[in-house]
Amino acid sequence: MSKRHFLEFEQPIAELETKIEELRYVQSESAVDISEEIDRLSKKSQQLVKDIYSSLTPWQVTQISRHTQRPYAMDYINEVFTDFQELRGDRHFADDQSIVGGLARFNGQACMVIGHQKGRDTKERAARNFGMSRPEGYRKALRLMKLAEKFGLPVFTLVDTPGAYPGIGAEERGQSEAIGRNIFEMAQLEVPIIVTIIGEGGSGGALAISVGDQVLMLQYSVYSVITPEGCASILWRTAERASDAADALGITAHRLKALGLIDKIVNEPVGGAHRDPKQMAAYLKRALNDALRQVSDLKPKELLQRRYERLQSYGRYTDTSDR
């Protein structure tokens, strides 16, 4: 197991866990029994994690959603699904590795699973473009969704991107058209679509695979029209005010649930998904099963009507001013 990476606000936890590791090393090298002290500090560390994670700011949640050891789409696909067969290419230009997808089985039922994939090391991050997709990535995703519709298979999408890639080549090949086309087509797809925000849900790059019948969000993930840094750069001309932007944007799961933009929050293990990926996968599998069960028996016409009403409900408000 690789060494755990701690975020800035987790430094008190890091110091305590370093001390625990030092004591374990001392115990293994000497005859002195200090197991009680190790147990005491371990309990103290667990409580400290609970205390810190019980009062996170939106900016701290954003940092967790980007954690380099956080499980990515392929980690969940390998744990939650079986018999995964990746399908590549958009049949127009190329295969965008920042989006992975293919046929799989969920609890024995055939399905299509699609997700953004970031890289673990420098080489993979470059190959997957840090999870920022180009038009061919979204066109590949649409091709797979249309294939799922042809065979009546439910679609699962796992969203984790800072946003669509804004490069010249991507714009030349129709980035905005590809995103818009996906949103349009997903709204009319005649099979169940279950969306899960597993990390960052950034802007149109996330929306392109986020139109669904059930939208789930991991507890420490974020979902927003723009990154906090991007918002701060526009409003205050400096990315240093990203924490202020994160507060104003309302990007956390609990805030979005209160606004009715997502359906369910999937709780993470104490300290975040990266502390116990297998447990997180078990939580997610249970949540996906519940979400699919709610829509699997609906006829296509009912699905489409329900999805339309859902989209139309976004942005509603009640005017309480005096007339």
Side-chain angles (χ1 to χ4, degrees):
M1 181 178 177
S2 60
K3 187 176 180 181
R4 183 171 291 155
H5 170 69
F6 291 93
L7 300 168
E8 185 178 349
F9 68 87
E10 294 180 306
Q11 285 313 302
I13 303 170
E15 292 169 7
L16 194 52
E17 293 201 359
T18 298
K19 188 173 182 179
I20 292 169
E21 287 303 313
E22 289 173 353
L23 289 176
R24 283 177 177 154
Y25 177 77
V26 169
Q27 174 148 313
S28 66
E29 294 295 319
S30 68
V32 181
D33 185 8
I34 53 174
S35 57
E36 287 187 10
E37 177 65 9
I38 293 173
D39 289 342
R40 186 185 70 81
L41 289 177
S42 295
K43 290 177 182 177
K44 185 178 179 181
S45 176
Q46 291 170 7
Q47 187 59 49
L48 184 59
V49 172
K50 289 179 182 178
D51 292 343
I52 289 176
Y53 273 74
S54 66
S55 57
L56 295 171
T57 66
W59 177 238
Q60 289 170 336
V61 173
T62 303
Q63 291 175 286
I64 298 168
S65 74
R66 299 169 174 173
H67 200 290
T68 55
Q69 293 174 318
R70 192 171 176 83
Y72 293 150
M74 284 305 302
D75 298 311
Y76 290 120
I77 289 172
N78 291 331
E79 286 291 333
V80 175
F81 299 87
T82 57
D83 301 323
F84 176 67
Q85 296 293 324
E86 185 174 358
L87 301 175
R88 297 174 179 268
D90 68 340
R91 302 297 186 268
H92 290 283
F93 182 76
D95 177 49
D96 187 341
Q97 294 185 55
S98 67
I99 285 188
V100 295
L103 294 163
R105 290 188 181 276
F106 179 70
N107 289 333
Q109 179 182 355
C111 66
M112 187 71 74
V113 58
I114 301 163
H116 295 102
Q117 178 69 17
K118 296 177 178 178
R120 290 290 176 199
D121 54 35
T122 304
K123 184 178 180 180
E124 189 185 1
R125 285 171 188 161
R128 299 194 184 277
N129 203 33
F130 299 86
M132 295 186 292
S133 303
R134 299 176 173 87
E136 47 270 26
Y138 298 119
R139 288 171 181 144
K140 172 171 71 173
L142 180 58
R143 180 175 77 84
L144 300 188
M145 286 186 273
K146 285 292 188 181
L147 184 64
E149 182 182 47
K150 180 177 180 179
F151 293 103
L153 306 178
V155 175
F156 295 91
T157 69
L158 304 172
V159 180
D160 187 15
T161 179
Y165 184 61
I168 292 175
E171 296 296 340
E172 288 176 340
R173 296 191 296 279
Q175 183 72 287
S176 58
E177 188 279 335
I179 292 171
R181 172 63 59 180
N182 274 30
I183 295 171
F184 177 78
E185 295 289 353
M186 288 184 80
Q188 303 177 83
L189 210 67
E190 295 186 351
V191 291
I193 309 172
I194 311 298
V195 177
T196 307
I197 316 298
I198 62 171
E200 290 183 275
S203 192
L207 287 175
I209 61 169
S210 294
V211 179
D213 301 297
Q214 291 278 301
V215 178
L216 284 55
M217 195 168 171
L218 268 55
Q219 185 178 3
Y220 302 125
S221 58
V222 294
Y223 194 21
S224 176
V225 68
I226 192 172
T227 63
E229 296 94 331
C231 178
S233 297
I234 293 170
L235 295 182
W236 295 292
R237 300 286 189 264
T238 174
E240 293 179 2
R241 294 192 62 178
S243 60
D244 295 326
D247 291 337
L249 284 167
I251 60 180
T252 60
H254 288 91
R255 177 70 175 141
L256 293 166
K257 179 71 167 63
L259 292 171
L261 296 174
I262 64 168
D263 298 293
K264 184 176 181 179
I265 299 170
V266 184
N267 288 329
E268 299 189 23
V270 176
H274 57 281
R275 277 187 167 255
D276 195 344
K278 283 192 175 292
Q279 184 66 61
M280 184 66 251
Y283 290 161
L284 179 59
K285 185 173 184 179
R286 191 181 310 131
L288 291 177
N289 188 55
D290 291 342
L292 181 61
R293 192 171 62 245
Q294 291 182 40
V295 296
S296 59
D297 293 332
L298 296 177
K299 295 178 181 178
K301 188 176 180 180
E302 293 173 313
L303 266 182
L304 296 182
Q305 182 61 33
R306 190 173 178 275
R307 204 178 295 157
Y308 174 79
E309 291 172 357
R310 175 195 184 85
L311 294 171
Q312 288 296 305
S313 71
Y314 291 164
R316 286 183 182 173
Y317 65 95
T318 301
D319 187 355
T320 59
S321 60
D322 295 332
R323 294 185 180 278

